[in-house]
Amino acid sequence: MVIQDVINYLEKLAPLAYAEDFDNVGLLVGNKNTPIKGILVTLDTLETVVEEAIFKDCNLIVSFHPIIFKGLKKLTGKTYVERVVMKAIKHDIAIYCMHTALDNASQGVNNMICNQLELHNRRILIPQSETIKKLTTYVPKDEAEHLRTDMFNAGAGTIGNYSNCSFNVDGYGTYKGNDASSPIKGVKGESHTEKETKITVTFPKHLESKIIQTLFKSHSYEEVAYEITTLENKNQNIGMGMIGDLETPMDETRFLKYLKNKMETEVVRHSAFLNKKIKKVAVLGGSGSFAIAAAKAAGADAFVTSDLKYHDFFTAENNILLADIGHYESEQFTKNLLVAYLTKKITNFAVVLSNTNTNPVKYF
């Protein structure tokens, strides 16, 4: 098994196509064709983490946060970022980062927070738009079933909890091949009319290359007529944050104690109490001030996130409890998620949970 094989598993969990535009995700250091010896999973890649990988004979670090975020113009060892990259290269250790790709995944960071808080009836808080595409093609009527099946097997035709979704219209297609053509149906140089089925399916954008390859492989025509459009529909399975319900409503004091215990945080900064029960809870790992409006619009009683500034707390406006649990604390269980996922997929070498606490924030 090589590094690319592990990447393939990780991108099934969190396709990089859904990472935010500002982000830097994927293989940041190393060669994708390098054979794997062991994998170390961490939240951040620091010098101590690289040293841990060396000690534990792991030549791939899977990190949530990217060590290279802005462009590096030199490698002199002046900054911790440069030192990490230099040490990793020196010891032939690759670094792969997931960050907002995993933030936006339905089974990613925010689902892990929901697991910790035991929330029910979960859904994406801010669904992504323009992540769903629609394919329309035309195929001889007697080949339609075969083509549909191949497209479904490639990942097309899934809408929410339903699979094998398509729309089909029978009609007649016409064409006339030139002297260089080799028509499967009809004769070149002569006009031909064929009974065809127009097939329309939707698919997630990260599968576009696979869907097109499947279309061309399964279609019998020399020239395949097809159209692909991007839909503005919200993707209910991809997006930032999640919202769900507590099994039993709690008063605000009890909820904050519950939150502090479940998320293993020393401090919870919060907005003013509203003297109401907490039932519906929105969560967003990492810096989440941008989602306060979405949490309120969704009817959340509380919003759990981190990195809220002074003025962000005013935006609670007496209709939601804002709870800042700390950036590291909100994402700390992500590495457990990744270890559990990779351990199920890979059994022939070690997947190691890093013991290094990379939280740069200390409490006195």
Side-chain angles (χ1 to χ4, degrees):
M1 180 172 279
V2 298
I3 288 173
Q4 185 60 56
D5 296 319
V6 179
I7 291 174
N8 291 341
Y9 283 125
L10 292 171
E11 293 189 8
K12 287 182 180 179
L13 173 66
L16 299 187
Y18 304 119
E20 299 297 314
D21 292 338
F22 65 81
D23 207 1
N24 188 31
V25 292
L27 187 62
L28 305 187
V29 176
N31 188 322
K32 65 181 181 180
N33 296 315
T34 302
I36 288 285
K37 293 190 294 182
I39 303 172
L40 183 71
V41 180
T42 182
L43 197 66
D44 306 277
T45 305
L46 304 179
E47 290 178 83
T48 50
V49 173
V50 178
E51 290 166 2
E52 183 181 3
I54 296 168
F55 178 76
K56 294 179 177 177
D57 200 26
C58 296
N59 65 338
L60 172 61
I61 295 174
V62 175
S63 177
F64 177 64
H65 290 126
I67 182 59
I68 303 174
F69 197 75
K70 299 178 181 178
L72 286 175
K73 295 185 178 181
K74 60 184 72 173
L75 287 173
T76 63
K78 184 178 180 180
T79 68
Y80 82 94
V81 174
E82 294 174 19
R83 291 192 295 273
V84 166
V85 173
M86 291 170 65
K87 187 182 288 281
I89 293 173
K90 181 178 180 180
H91 293 275
D92 294 321
I93 295 174
I95 302 173
Y96 180 87
C97 161
M98 306 182 75
H99 205 207
T100 57
L102 194 59
D103 278 326
N104 281 312
S106 61
Q107 298 299 312
V109 176
N110 297 298
N111 190 62
M112 198 65 180
I113 299 175
C114 289
N115 288 344
Q116 288 297 119
L117 298 181
E118 301 179 30
L119 300 183
H120 304 275
N121 306 319
R122 305 172 193 178
R123 59 183 173 86
I124 299 294
L125 180 62
I126 308 177
Q128 273 196 8
S129 59
E130 299 185 356
T131 62
I132 302 172
K133 291 183 176 278
K134 180 173 71 174
L135 167 73
T136 299
T137 190
Y138 308 84
V139 62
K141 186 175 179 179
D142 58 358
E143 300 175 14
E145 183 61 31
H146 171 72
L147 180 62
R148 273 195 301 269
T149 299
D150 285 351
M151 299 296 282
F152 294 153
N153 289 338
T158 297
I159 302 175
N161 295 323
Y162 295 84
S163 61
N164 293 16
C165 302
S166 68
F167 188 77
N168 306 268
V169 179
D170 291 336
Y172 294 90
T174 64
Y175 53 84
K176 178 181 177 181
N178 61 24
D179 291 340
S181 66
S182 300
I184 300 298
K185 307 264 187 175
V187 180
K188 66 180 177 181
E190 297 181 8
S191 294
H192 179 76
T193 299
E194 181 70 28
K195 289 183 178 180
E196 293 182 337
T197 299
K198 174 183 177 181
I199 301 175
T200 301
V201 292
T202 59
F203 61 90
K205 73 175 183 179
H206 73 279
L207 293 179
E208 182 168 348
S209 177
K210 183 179 181 181
I211 296 298
I212 293 175
Q213 289 176 13
T214 301
L215 172 64
F216 277 77
K217 182 178 179 181
S218 300
H219 207 297
S220 65
Y221 282 174
E222 181 183 23
E223 298 289 349
V224 180
Y226 71 99
E227 309 156 24
I228 291 180
T229 55
T230 300
L231 305 180
E232 294 186 6
N233 303 43
K234 300 292 185 181
N235 192 330
Q236 58 186 296
N237 296 315
I238 297 291
M240 283 285 181
M242 297 193 86
I243 187 168
D245 299 322
L246 292 167
E247 182 71 30
T248 304
M250 304 179 186
D251 63 44
E252 292 158 310
T253 300
R254 183 185 169 199
F255 171 73
L256 291 180
K257 289 180 179 178
Y258 176 82
L259 176 64
K260 190 174 180 179
N261 177 59
K262 288 289 187 177
M263 297 305 296
E264 298 180 14
T265 181
E266 295 184 44
V267 175
V268 177
R269 300 163 63 234
H270 63 87
S271 58
F273 282 168
L274 305 175
N275 297 316
K276 70 174 186 179
K277 295 287 187 180
I278 303 297
K279 172 69 172 177
K280 190 176 293 294
V281 180
V283 304
L284 198 154
S287 303
S289 60
F290 67 91
I292 294 174
K296 292 197 292 185
D301 301 309
F303 177 41
V304 178
T305 187
S306 72
D307 297 344
L308 297 182
K309 297 180 180 179
Y310 177 82
H311 289 94
D312 292 329
F313 288 97
F314 287 119
T315 64
E317 296 185 287
N318 296 318
N319 59 25
I320 192 171
L321 177 66
L322 301 178
D324 183 333
I325 63 174
H327 196 119
Y328 175 88
E329 289 79 4
S330 71
E331 297 171 337
Q332 62 182 309
F333 300 107
T334 301
K335 60 183 183 180
N336 302 76
L337 160 70
L338 292 173
V339 168
Y341 174 78
L342 288 174
T343 299
K344 289 180 180 178
K345 299 294 182 181
I346 304 168
T347 58
N348 55 340
F349 55 82
V351 180
V352 181
L353 179 68
S354 173
N355 293 325
T356 305
N357 185 329
T358 60
N359 190 0
V361 180
K362 309 301 177 185
Y363 302 100
F364 181 73

